Amino acid sequence: MLPIYICEDDAKVRIAQKECLEKQILMEGYDMEVALFSGHPQEILEAVRSSPQRGIYFLDVELKDEPMDGFALGQEIRKVDPRGFLIYVTSFADLAFETFRYHLEALDYIVKGNPEKMFAGIRASLAVITERMRKEQGEQAESFTVKVMDVVKHIPVDEIMFFETSGRTHRIELHGKKERVDFIGSMQELEGRLGSQFLRVHRAYLVNVGQIGELDLKRREILMKNGERCLFSRNVKQKLLSL
């Protein structure tokens, strides 16, 4: 999970940024969380140093009555997190030269004078970061995307055990390594969408063949690698044995 840090000296703007981020994370199902929001750069640095990992940083440039500004803070963060994502949220529109002078690789510069534009910039930054992370991890074409209520989830295909028809009409239950997800859909649509990595082994089950552990031929059951079981039909027995 990517931690997000906010350093902004205006309390109202700071809270607005936090609320915008948390709302977007919830809506899009991003694997992120707001770890700390503060008006004091030293608090941000202490938190980053105590838990060093790749993070996302929304930094104000002018930090009034503080020993360092946003650029100096960015330099210190880079010493701990050289691959982190720096985003400057500022009253100044053109900061490209300054970040170059400080040897900072900023992802974006968001002007905070207009709240709606600031929120749009924050949303766009999260989308860009998510896309970059997927490309780096080789998951660009390997995630199953599903909308559950108002949340969009991106689940790595390799973490899906199988899909099962629910007791309710047009409902499917995804069985994953980490979670179960109930959503509206059909097995026929899923078969066409997911391709040969998944096999329809029963009218009620669509199985990830890479996650099959054992076959119980007597009971006509598949034991998945995570310990879950599902049934298979007689007519797919030979396909399963040939895997």
Side-chain angles (χ1 to χ4, degrees):
M1 181 173 290
L2 283 174
I4 300 176
Y5 299 90
I6 303 167
C7 193
E8 165 63 56
D9 62 4
D10 186 317
K12 288 184 179 179
V13 175
R14 187 166 66 241
I15 292 171
Q17 290 175 7
K18 176 180 179 287
E19 290 177 348
C20 175
L21 285 162
E22 289 179 336
K23 179 180 179 181
Q24 198 65 15
I25 290 167
L26 181 62
M27 288 179 61
E28 298 296 336
Y30 292 142
D31 191 21
M32 307 170 182
E33 66 174 354
V34 178
L36 179 63
F37 65 112
S38 171
H40 306 295
Q42 200 58 41
E43 286 186 9
I44 300 293
L45 271 181
E46 288 174 5
V48 173
R49 287 169 178 163
S50 67
S51 181
Q53 61 176 302
R54 195 177 194 182
I56 305 170
Y57 308 89
F58 288 87
L59 308 178
D60 189 10
V61 172
E62 284 192 321
L63 297 168
K64 297 174 184 176
D65 303 320
E66 294 295 333
M68 65 178 77
D69 62 12
F71 293 132
L73 175 57
Q75 283 183 312
E76 293 302 312
I77 288 171
R78 278 280 179 252
K79 294 176 184 178
V80 184
D81 184 5
R83 298 175 65 239
F85 300 98
L86 297 181
I87 301 107
Y88 282 99
V89 187
T90 174
S91 300
F92 303 95
D94 188 8
L95 293 173
F97 177 75
E98 288 299 304
T99 52
F100 176 79
R101 187 164 68 87
Y102 280 89
H103 304 287
L104 294 169
E105 187 181 334
L107 178 76
D108 203 357
Y109 315 96
I110 301 172
V111 179
K112 62 183 177 182
N114 183 315
E116 288 307 312
K117 288 185 178 180
M118 180 180 73
F119 298 150
I122 289 173
R123 291 192 293 268
S125 293
L126 295 187
V128 169
I129 290 168
T130 301
E131 187 63 22
R132 284 195 185 181
M133 293 292 289
R134 282 189 196 144
K135 287 181 178 179
E136 288 177 14
Q137 296 167 5
E139 293 179 1
Q140 189 174 15
E142 298 176 2
S143 289
F144 178 78
T145 302
V146 60
K147 186 174 182 180
V148 183
M149 303 293 285
D150 293 324
V151 178
V152 177
K153 289 181 173 286
H154 304 284
I155 302 169
V157 168
D158 289 341
E159 293 186 5
I160 299 172
M161 299 292 114
F162 57 89
F163 295 90
E164 179 182 9
T165 55
S166 173
R168 293 180 292 165
T169 307
H170 304 304
R171 304 294 302 192
I172 302 289
E173 186 172 23
L174 180 156
H175 292 247
K177 281 185 179 179
K178 301 176 182 177
E179 60 184 330
R180 289 191 182 188
V181 179
D182 183 87
F183 61 97
I184 297 173
S186 73
M187 283 295 194
Q188 187 175 358
E189 185 270 334
L190 287 173
E191 283 185 87
R193 178 177 169 184
L194 292 165
S196 60
Q197 187 173 345
F198 285 77
L199 178 65
R200 185 76 174 271
V201 297
H202 186 276
R203 61 183 179 83
Y205 297 100
L206 179 66
V207 169
N208 184 346
V209 296
Q211 291 295 342
I212 293 175
E214 297 177 8
L215 297 178
D216 185 331
L217 300 179
K218 185 176 180 180
R219 293 191 176 121
R220 293 211 311 274
E221 286 185 342
I222 298 171
L223 177 64
M224 308 304 294
K225 289 180 180 179
N226 71 339
E228 288 193 87
R229 294 175 179 269
C230 57
L231 300 173
F232 67 86
S233 301
R234 286 192 180 89
N235 59 356
V236 296
K237 177 181 175 180
Q238 291 306 315
K239 283 186 180 180
L240 287 169
L241 291 172
S242 66
L243 291 175

